[in-house]
Amino acid sequence: MAVLLDLKDLITRFYTEDGVVHAVNGISYKMDDGETLGVVGESGCGKSVHALSIMRLIQSPPGKIESGEVIFHGHDLLKMSDNEMRSIRGAQIAMVFQDPMTSLNPVYTVGFQISEALMLHQDMDKKEAYKRSGELLTMVGIPEAKQRLDDYPHQFSGGMRQRAMIAMALSCHPSLLIADEPTTALDVTIQAQIVELVKRLQSELGMAVMWITHDLGIIAEIAKKINVMYAGYIVERGNVRDIYKRTRHPYTLGLLGSLPRLDEAPGTKLVSIPGLPPDLVDLPKGCPFAARCTYRIDKCLEEMPPLVPSDGLDHVVACWRWEEIAGRDR
């Protein structure tokens, strides 16, 4: 399978009055055509910033993509001109944001906003774009779609607004869809519907999906591979089954331990991770998780562990004591 996206040592900073925020700290990974990748971690770990860096949507100032490469279809997005990037954004890479109410413009109809993307990227005239907009709303499961084209965002429910955003994102047949916590603002029933919708559309259209979330339950259902992020670093990466069954990083252990499980005895207590995430303005010298880690040794406080293979090349982990953690499985 061909490589679609290849990140190499991506670094993004924000220059604020309080100091330099180290938001993304040299992350590298690859995505294949048609693959579903989950990106998980606590709020503020760099999940969304890294996605916005891929899209070249970091606001400057205060933000700046300091270095690295974002190779998409063999071309480095970070070296493209603004005009070249505009032709990629929305057409070949599309993004669905967390809050659909702030993503849709309240003063334009939903039909106009979908049509605009089609006229810009697909060279359709107004009539063709409007017809296609109705087809797209039908595809994402909005009833009486043609009659809803002239409605404004406030006339849609939260779930319908998110479906409209997905329709807009898919209007130009992107190779990659980035979904940035698209179900967080929705109730559980609607969340499940949106997840099933994206799974169905990916199967039909063959696009790759990057699903950014803090919900490991959703990732288990939708993703093939997973990046676990902490303090701007990838601390564990691999196939979802390997990460869940053979967890190798203490932070991932904590995340999984905080999830209720149906196969556990009644009364089993959930695990919580002690302490707070580090200040990204003043990152510690060694492993950023060391202050909260029960496996901590002196080396953890002095030196950041590199990502190394664990249980095969597809499962990598950044922990000095991953082999001892692996020993728990034996």
Side-chain angles (χ1 to χ4, degrees):
M1 193 172 289
V3 174
L4 174 69
L5 181 71
D6 186 1
L7 264 67
K8 299 179 180 178
D9 200 28
L10 179 66
I11 297 174
T12 302
R13 303 276 186 262
F14 289 90
Y15 293 86
T16 71
E17 292 181 358
D18 295 327
V20 181
V21 178
H22 297 74
V24 178
N25 299 308
I27 65 173
S28 302
Y29 65 86
K30 295 180 181 179
M31 270 188 82
D32 292 333
D33 281 321
E35 179 184 308
T36 305
L37 171 69
V39 182
V40 301
E42 292 169 287
S43 296
C45 72
K47 307 186 301 291
S48 297
V49 172
H50 115 274
L52 291 170
S53 299
I54 292 170
M55 297 285 285
R56 292 255 307 266
L57 290 174
I58 298 295
Q59 186 174 345
S60 177
K64 183 181 179 183
I65 302 172
E66 292 282 4
S67 62
E69 297 179 23
V70 179
I71 309 298
F72 179 72
H73 280 313
H75 301 284
D76 188 355
L77 301 183
L78 302 186
K79 292 182 179 177
M80 288 186 174
S81 68
D82 290 343
N83 284 336
E84 288 174 323
M85 194 61 210
R86 272 191 287 270
S87 70
I88 297 282
R89 197 186 295 126
Q92 297 183 48
I93 307 177
M95 193 163 183
V96 178
F97 295 94
Q98 182 172 343
D99 185 357
M101 197 60 211
T102 57
S103 301
L104 290 165
N105 192 321
V107 302
Y108 292 109
T109 65
V110 171
F112 174 84
Q113 293 182 64
I114 300 175
S115 298
E116 192 175 33
L118 291 165
M119 289 187 286
L120 177 65
H121 292 295
Q122 299 288 302
D123 293 326
M124 291 186 181
D125 61 30
K126 189 174 181 179
K127 186 176 180 180
E128 289 175 321
Y130 211 67
K131 180 183 177 184
R132 178 59 180 156
S133 296
E135 294 170 354
L136 287 163
L137 289 185
T138 300
M139 182 178 71
V140 297
I142 291 181
E144 299 179 347
K146 291 181 181 178
Q147 285 71 42
R148 302 306 303 268
L149 286 172
D150 292 327
D151 286 349
Y152 290 86
H154 73 272
Q155 295 174 277
F156 279 47
S157 68
M160 289 174 67
R161 284 196 294 265
Q162 199 59 289
R163 287 172 183 267
M165 281 299 302
I166 292 170
M168 193 183 304
L170 299 181
S171 61
C172 300
H173 311 292
S175 304
L176 172 62
L177 174 68
I178 300 175
D180 186 6
E181 305 210 39
T183 61
T184 300
L186 308 174
D187 64 54
V188 176
T189 305
I190 305 301
Q191 283 185 23
Q193 292 176 7
I194 296 297
V195 170
E196 287 303 315
L197 171 64
V198 172
K199 286 170 66 176
R200 175 176 65 80
L201 293 174
Q202 182 190 23
S203 176
E204 292 175 3
L205 303 176
M207 63 187 172
V209 174
M210 181 188 297
W211 193 287
I212 299 169
T213 184
H214 60 272
D215 189 335
L216 286 161
I218 289 178
I219 293 301
E221 184 177 351
I222 198 171
K224 177 184 176 184
K225 290 186 178 179
I226 181 173
N227 288 345
V228 181
M229 289 191 67
Y230 187 80
Y233 296 93
I234 293 176
V235 295
E236 190 164 10
R237 170 174 163 79
N239 292 325
V240 169
R241 179 177 289 273
D242 289 342
I243 297 288
Y244 283 49
K245 293 285 187 182
R246 293 188 287 274
T247 313
R248 296 295 179 251
H249 197 280
Y251 177 61
T252 316
L253 283 174
L255 289 179
L256 291 170
S258 66
L259 284 177
R261 294 177 53 146
L262 295 175
D263 59 352
E264 288 182 332
T268 301
K269 290 186 177 181
L270 297 178
V271 176
S272 63
I273 302 174
L276 296 170
D279 183 355
L280 296 181
V281 174
D282 186 24
L283 276 175
K285 183 179 179 183
C287 174
F289 188 63
R292 309 171 72 185
C293 183
T294 55
Y295 289 88
R296 180 182 65 241
I297 56 176
D298 290 344
K299 188 175 184 180
C300 301
L301 299 170
E302 295 296 324
E303 195 175 342
M304 176 67 191
L307 279 169
V308 295
S310 156
D311 305 311
L313 295 175
D314 288 337
H315 188 171
V316 293
V317 59
C319 179
W320 293 118
R321 300 187 67 186
W322 73 263
E323 289 173 305
E324 293 170 59
I325 297 170
R328 302 176 321 115
D329 299 338
R330 302 188 185 107

